[in-house]
Amino acid sequence: MVIGDGVLTPTISVFSAVSGMEFPFPKEQHRYVEVPVACIILVFLFALQHYGTHRVGFLFAPIVITWLLCISAIGVYNIFRWNPYVYQALSPYYMYKFLKKTQSKGWMSLGGILLCITGSEAMFADLGHFSQLSIKIAFTCIVYPSLILAYMGQAAYISKNQNNGKVHPIGFYVSVPDKIRWPVLVIAILAAVVGSQAIITGTFSIIKQCSALGCFPRVKLVHTSSKKHGQIYNPEINWTLMLLCLAVTIGFRDTKRMGNAAGLAIITGMLVTTCLMSLVIVLCWNRSIFLAISFIFFFGSIEALYFSASLIKFREGAWVPIALSFIFIIVMYVWHYGTLKKYEFDVQNKVSINWLLGLGPGLGIVRVKGIGLIHTELVSGIPAIFSHFVTNLPAFHQVVVFLCIKSVPVPHVRPDERFLVGRVGPKEYRLYRCIARYGYRDIQKDDNEFEKDLVCSIAEFIRSERPAACVVGTEDMENGEKLTVVGTSSSNLEGIRLCEDDGSISEMVGASELREIKPLEMPKKRVRFVVPESPQIDMDARQELRELMEAREAGLAFIMGHSYVRAKKGSSLMKKIVINFGYDFLRRNFREPTFSLSIPYASTLEVGMIYYV
């Protein structure tokens, strides 16, 4: 419903503002101009999104404050001019009297009253960009009083001008004095853009969180600010929302049905939030269940009353958010179910260390020269793709690295904490695990730089490796693996350096003297490790470094799995439809996993594997 609100709030906000324009031709022809103008503004609004909230946001506060002061002043003017006694409408008695007199009609009108809530709700849809205190102060001291004065002013005007022949779909613009109508209209359009911007950015955040939880297909995430984590931009979602907004605008062409649709979306989100808030009271705040029940009964009953009134307008536009929600629920369920089954297959089919030990140091295959980088999503264990590869191709590289690229939710990862390096199996197997961590604002290096850093991190791990009982600064993993934090070569000036040129080594690192470990044979491409004089490196580590240099000289190959998920035999018809068609369609048409390096296709090998789930 929040995603649907991201479609409906920009639509009704912009269209309502445009509806206040006066054109020099009959009223019944206005829609032929209002719709194109609203569409142009919507296209302009969504085209601005890629600049980021922090670049456009400096206009938010001036526009919102100007708009609130404007409607407050107009409200005060209308109150004193038309009906000073309208303040009595603040009494709840008149609400009770209204519902008692109108009965079912009054109850049905509550769906339209929701539009009074949507404007203020949209201003704070992007809660991640403001502190709680700022929201409380702004709403209590500025937003709420301004809205009350504006609606009281409209009520005062309507109470004295019910039968003057002036008919307008938006009651606010009728109450605006003629001399300032056009300036107010410009401010209204700008305020509509601001409110729409907030809910659009909120939709981006919802999509990002769903994608991180594996509940939504992968989309491109562009972090537009290096200081604030929540400011993101989704190109695919942005243009999808724009197309849906244009479709609703062209399809409805009036604010009544748009309002019914937006009202149901917003009140449903509020009702669900209230229910979840009761869980927060009990589980997070450790308060009594009685307090949670009282909370949900008081606020939930009010929201349920509005919800039922909005649901009555199903055929008058309220079906739109339900249809959008239904589509998004199907997409999210199919993706989550397929992702979960694929992960379960990966975990259940991990190759055991006993299987690896049974192959022996040669792994039962021919070990060819070079480094094989096997990309995997698993941070522990041996992926099934490895056994699938060696079973079908009896040759593998002399050095094997299980590479896992992880994006962490921080702007930057310090270079000295970039890699986690460990050993898989006994030392003579020459199998390593490397987890490369990147923040969402980290600048990814090119292929050569990444390869150098990766090889240097493994070499530094070999040089500084200690017995398992004495490892410091490591993380315990499954299967008894230990991963050591190793930085990039540029961050570790006292560590091993990699030199691939043909010149002589005369570089000094700090105050330490350097000496060169040379490979046994001199191939065409010369690779040398430059290590500090102390501490001393034992013979086994020197031999392992020589083999790593030889493998680097021979070349580096990226081996990636290309999985095809299929429902296993005997599955139900619904499961076959969801996995074989739904999940496969989403996987092929949405983005592949985003890696933190640009893999050169010339040295990439894809290994196809079918997952029967």
Side-chain angles (χ1 to χ4, degrees):
M1 283 295 179
V2 174
I3 298 173
D5 192 19
V7 175
L8 297 168
T9 295
T11 303
I12 189 173
S13 299
V14 172
F15 193 83
S16 299
V18 173
S19 298
M21 295 182 178
E22 294 185 356
F23 303 99
F25 38 80
K27 291 284 185 180
E28 56 271 11
Q29 298 181 7
H30 278 197
R31 68 176 58 187
Y32 297 109
V33 178
E34 292 172 352
V35 173
V37 172
C39 291
I40 293 173
I41 295 177
L42 286 172
V43 172
F44 176 76
L45 169 64
F46 284 97
L48 286 178
Q49 299 302 315
H50 75 279
Y51 288 106
T53 306
H54 70 291
R55 289 191 175 94
V56 189
F58 72 94
L59 294 174
F60 286 9
I63 292 175
V64 171
I65 291 177
T66 303
W67 170 246
L68 293 175
L69 294 178
C70 177
I71 63 176
S72 301
I74 295 174
V76 172
Y77 167 80
N78 287 324
I79 290 173
F80 283 98
R81 179 177 179 182
W82 300 107
N83 190 352
Y85 299 100
V86 75
Y87 71 89
Q88 297 177 5
L90 295 175
S91 172
Y93 168 75
Y94 291 98
M95 176 182 66
Y96 166 76
K97 186 177 180 180
F98 169 77
L99 293 176
K100 182 179 179 180
K101 181 179 180 179
T102 56
Q103 296 182 356
S104 61
K105 292 183 179 180
W107 166 64
M108 295 176 63
S109 69
L110 293 179
I113 297 176
L114 276 172
L115 295 180
C116 301
I117 305 174
T118 58
S120 58
E121 183 267 348
M123 294 180 185
F124 302 105
D126 196 7
L127 296 181
H129 296 179
F130 304 96
S131 65
Q132 294 182 9
L133 181 61
S134 64
I135 294 175
K136 291 177 181 178
I137 294 175
F139 189 82
T140 305
C141 300
I142 302 177
V143 178
Y144 185 73
S146 299
L147 294 176
I148 290 296
L149 290 174
Y151 290 125
M152 286 175 61
Q154 294 181 46
Y157 178 88
I158 294 174
S159 66
K160 300 298 182 180
N161 296 274
Q162 298 183 55
N163 303 314
N164 61 0
K166 290 186 177 181
V167 179
H168 199 280
I170 306 299
F172 169 74
Y173 293 109
V174 196
S175 63
V176 177
D178 295 337
K179 295 182 179 180
I180 62 171
R181 182 164 297 177
W182 277 102
V184 171
L185 178 62
V186 173
I187 300 175
I189 293 177
L190 294 177
V193 171
V194 168
S196 302
Q197 169 72 29
I199 195 65
I200 291 170
T201 309
T203 304
F204 291 162
S205 299
I206 290 289
I207 294 293
K208 175 182 177 297
Q209 295 168 24
C210 292
S211 181
L213 294 173
C215 298
F216 199 86
R218 301 182 187 93
V219 292
K220 184 178 181 180
L221 293 177
V222 179
H223 294 268
T224 59
S225 175
S226 59
K227 298 180 180 179
K228 292 188 177 181
H229 173 51
Q231 296 187 0
I232 58 176
Y233 168 66
N234 305 119
E236 296 95 337
I237 300 301
N238 182 67
W239 302 123
T240 302
L241 291 179
M242 186 195 73
L243 294 177
L244 291 174
C245 285
L246 296 178
V248 172
T249 302
I250 297 173
F252 281 167
R253 301 184 182 182
D254 69 86
T255 56
K256 181 180 179 181
R257 288 185 290 179
M258 293 180 188
N260 293 335
L264 181 61
I266 289 174
I267 197 60
T268 305
M270 291 181 175
L271 187 60
V272 173
T273 303
T274 300
C275 296
L276 296 178
M277 188 64 195
S278 63
L279 298 180
V280 172
I281 293 175
V282 177
L283 301 179
C284 299
W285 295 354
N286 296 322
R287 301 295 182 88
S288 65
I289 299 180
F290 176 77
L291 179 61
I293 294 176
S294 301
F295 174 86
I296 194 173
F297 178 77
F298 178 76
F299 290 101
S301 58
I302 298 175
E303 292 167 353
L305 184 64
Y306 281 95
F307 175 77
S308 60
S310 297
L311 207 57
I312 295 297
K313 306 293 181 65
F314 179 83
R315 299 180 61 183
E316 300 177 19
W319 61 269
V320 172
I322 296 179
L324 292 176
S325 299
F326 183 71
I327 294 173
F328 280 112
I329 283 177
I330 292 178
V331 172
M332 294 171 69
Y333 173 77
V334 169
W335 182 260
H336 177 70
Y337 182 78
T339 303
L340 181 63
K341 291 300 180 181
K342 182 176 180 294
Y343 177 77
E344 290 176 353
F345 183 92
D346 281 330
V347 173
Q348 294 171 3
N349 292 274
K350 286 193 301 185
V351 179
S352 66
I353 192 67
N354 295 328
W355 176 85
L356 185 66
L357 294 175
L359 296 178
L363 298 183
I365 55 179
V366 178
R367 302 297 291 270
V368 299
K369 292 184 177 181
I371 299 176
L373 285 181
I374 302 177
H375 184 271
T376 175
E377 295 291 335
L378 298 176
V379 296
S380 63
I382 302 173
I385 185 180
F386 180 75
S387 62
H388 182 73
F389 186 87
V390 300
T391 302
N392 293 275
L393 185 65
F396 216 82
H397 299 85
Q398 67 184 107
V399 174
V400 179
V401 180
F402 297 104
L403 176 63
C404 181
I405 306 295
K406 289 295 182 182
S407 266
V408 293
V410 295
H412 299 281
V413 173
R414 291 166 50 187
D416 56 345
E417 299 178 353
R418 175 74 67 207
F419 296 101
L420 293 174
V421 184
R423 192 184 297 279
V424 180
K427 182 178 293 187
E428 61 269 17
Y429 282 52
R430 304 300 189 249
L431 300 181
Y432 308 94
R433 183 181 309 283
C434 183
I435 301 177
R437 301 180 292 184
Y438 286 86
Y440 59 82
R441 290 291 293 179
D442 281 331
I443 299 176
Q444 301 169 11
K445 296 182 178 180
D446 57 19
D447 307 326
N448 293 330
E449 287 297 320
F450 178 82
E451 293 172 10
K452 287 182 180 180
D453 285 341
L454 179 65
V455 174
C456 279
S457 67
I458 297 174
E460 180 64 23
F461 167 77
I462 295 172
R463 182 185 74 87
S464 60
E465 188 177 19
R466 298 288 185 272
C470 304
V471 176
V472 180
T474 63
E475 299 183 8
D476 290 309
M477 305 299 292
E478 296 179 7
N479 303 322
E481 294 182 24
K482 298 278 187 177
L483 297 183
T484 303
V485 178
V486 181
T488 60
S489 57
S490 60
S491 65
N492 189 9
L493 299 180
E494 298 297 330
I496 289 182
R497 306 292 296 274
L498 180 66
C499 182
E500 294 184 344
D501 57 17
D502 295 328
S504 60
I505 297 294
S506 59
E507 183 179 2
M508 301 294 290
V509 179
S512 303
E513 295 183 0
L514 306 180
R515 58 187 163 85
E516 180 182 337
I517 296 179
K518 299 182 179 179
L520 299 178
E521 298 179 1
M522 185 66 65
K524 294 181 180 180
K525 182 179 180 180
R526 188 180 184 189
V527 177
R528 294 167 292 176
F529 285 131
V530 181
V531 300
E533 182 68 28
S534 60
Q536 296 294 329
I537 303 178
D538 58 31
M539 294 302 298
D540 290 340
R542 290 173 62 87
Q543 178 63 29
E544 194 170 358
L545 287 173
R546 286 195 181 97
E547 292 186 18
L548 181 62
M549 281 189 297
E550 292 175 353
R552 178 70 182 102
E553 289 170 347
L556 188 146
F558 293 89
I559 302 171
M560 302 177 61
H562 191 82
S563 59
Y564 298 88
V565 183
R566 295 289 183 269
K568 59 185 178 182
K569 294 182 179 180
S571 301
S572 63
L573 178 62
M574 181 59 68
K575 183 177 180 180
K576 290 180 179 179
I577 295 175
V578 170
I579 295 296
N580 295 349
F581 297 98
Y583 181 76
D584 184 66
F585 174 82
L586 295 176
R587 184 189 60 81
R588 286 187 289 106
N589 289 277
F590 280 83
R591 291 182 177 269
E592 294 291 331
T594 54
F595 306 139
S596 295
L597 69 157
S598 177
I599 298 178
Y601 291 101
S603 57
T604 300
L605 175 64
E606 283 195 349
V607 180
M609 185 173 179
I610 300 178
Y611 286 25
Y612 289 102
V613 300

